[in-house]
Amino acid sequence: MMSELKKPKFYSNHRHRQGKKKEEHLESGNNLREILQNKKLNILDIGFGTGTSTKQLYRNKKDNYICVESYLQGINNLKKYRDKNKIDNMFVYHGDAVEIISEVLPDNSIDEILIYFPDPWPKSKHHKRRLINVYTLNLLFKKLKKGGLLHFATDHIIYAYNTKNLFEEFIGKKILFNSNRRNRPITNYEKRGLRRNNFVFDLIVKK
Ligand SMILES: C[S@@+](CC[C@H](N)C(=O)[O-])C[C@H]1O[C@@H](n2cnc3c(N)ncnc32)[C@H](O)[C@@H]1O
């Protein structure tokens, strides 16, 4: 049975420190649509945490980055890096990724979507908070270009298998965990998982 088609329930541990004001999703002074049409790859980085891995990726290759996070300190950190280095092709959005992606991104515009170590919400009563469900997959695949890819990584074995099943159901064919991490840097949450001797699972699906 196809899993439910509802928007994931947005839950952030950090929200109480961020006030209740509705987020303004548009970054002033930046021309997102124009940049998305230049010759570089368009990378959507969802839930980047502190931004450490995003910075590393950008240092290695200056693609266009659209970065979404609900953790204000991470947002400020990445914006500071971007502004200090006068980077004009990195867009940093604060708030619920699902809402922001639907509001600001044109369809068929993204080459790669990165979702590294999203919160696994292990208790079944909290599964509705998981970022990845059929609703989100529909949205993300709409935003991907044909041939674009979605790269998901987690060190939570049950979330890994649940997501694999969901992807298979969604794309209609069997997939394997990827033995190749591509260019995925070691993120803070991966470090934490490795300290606990957790195995890391990569899933890569193409549109
Ligand atoms: C477990 S952390 C992983 C951070 C980083 N990717 C890493 O691997 O170190 C998950 C991040 O996703 C963010 N997050 C969760 N749900 C989100 C949502 N709906 N919209 C934006 N960010 C979200 C959280 O604030 C958190 O920083």
Side-chain angles (χ1 to χ4, degrees), residues 46-168:
I46 305 177
F48 56 79
T50 58
T52 314
S53 59
T54 317
K55 290 181 207 168
Q56 194 178 327
L57 284 167
Y58 190 84
R59 273 194 292 269
N60 294 343
K61 191 159 176 273
K62 312 281 184 278
D63 288 319
N64 304 321
Y65 275 83
I66 305 96
C67 310
V68 193
E69 178 46 77
S70 59
Y71 172 45
L72 188 55
Q73 221 172 305
I75 291 285
N76 291 339
N77 186 15
L78 193 56
K79 280 189 170 173
K80 200 164 145 193
Y81 168 81
R82 177 194 66 185
D83 296 345
K84 187 170 163 223
N85 292 287
K86 301 190 169 42
I87 296 169
D88 66 357
N89 63 340
M90 183 182 281
F91 300 86
V92 184
Y93 293 98
H94 180 214
D96 181 3
V98 180
E99 284 173 18
I100 294 169
I101 291 164
S102 358
E103 278 177 38
V104 308
L105 288 180
D107 293 350
N108 304 305
S109 63
I110 301 297
D111 295 280
E112 294 180 16
I113 300 176
L114 315 180
I115 307 179
Y116 294 158
F117 301 87
D119 304 290
W121 297 115
K123 292 184 184 161
S124 37
K125 67 173 179 181
H126 290 150
H127 282 184
K128 55 183 179 289
R129 294 177 181 173
R130 284 179 172 176
L131 186 64
I132 298 286
N133 69 6
V134 177
Y135 181 99
T136 325
L137 281 179
N138 267 313
L139 174 69
L140 297 179
F141 266 67
K142 211 159 64 163
K143 302 301 171 187
L144 273 180
K145 291 179 185 169
K146 190 161 175 13
L149 60 86
L150 189 165
H151 185 170
F152 169 97
T154 184
D155 65 327
H156 191 280
I157 187 165
I158 298 171
Y159 194 25
Y161 276 91
N162 288 168
T163 307
K164 181 172 176 291
N165 293 340
L166 191 61
F167 283 179
E168 287 177 343

